[in-house]
Amino acid sequence: MKKIISRLQEPTPRFFRRIRNFGLLLTGISAVISTAVIPLPAVLITIAGYTALAGGIASAVSQTAVIKEEKP
């Protein structure tokens, strides 16, 4: 468990930070669509659910990427 926590705390490469932030953006947008006060078509709600799932997975996986430093 300590290895997982220490890996999550290490620096993340720039590319994966962008993927993480994009995944969080997708998750946020889909949450707004899913909880909208006005009635929306069922297709839009279904797409929002899948988008939330994809955004959450992309964010979680990209957070575990670390910068590997070469040993001298």
Side-chain angles (χ1 to χ4, degrees), residues 2-61:
K2 280 189 166 187
K3 288 183 180 182
I4 294 172
I5 292 173
S6 66
R7 183 177 178 106
L8 291 175
Q9 293 174 344
E10 289 183 23
T12 305
R14 186 178 202 173
F15 175 73
F16 288 104
R17 280 185 294 196
R18 287 184 180 177
I19 292 176
R20 181 193 61 203
N21 293 339
F22 185 69
L24 290 173
L25 178 71
L26 284 177
T27 304
I29 291 172
S30 65
V32 169
I33 292 172
S34 297
T35 59
V37 179
I38 58 172
L40 296 171
V43 171
L44 192 59
I45 301 295
T46 303
I47 291 172
Y50 288 128
T51 306
L53 179 66
I57 291 171
S59 297
V61 170

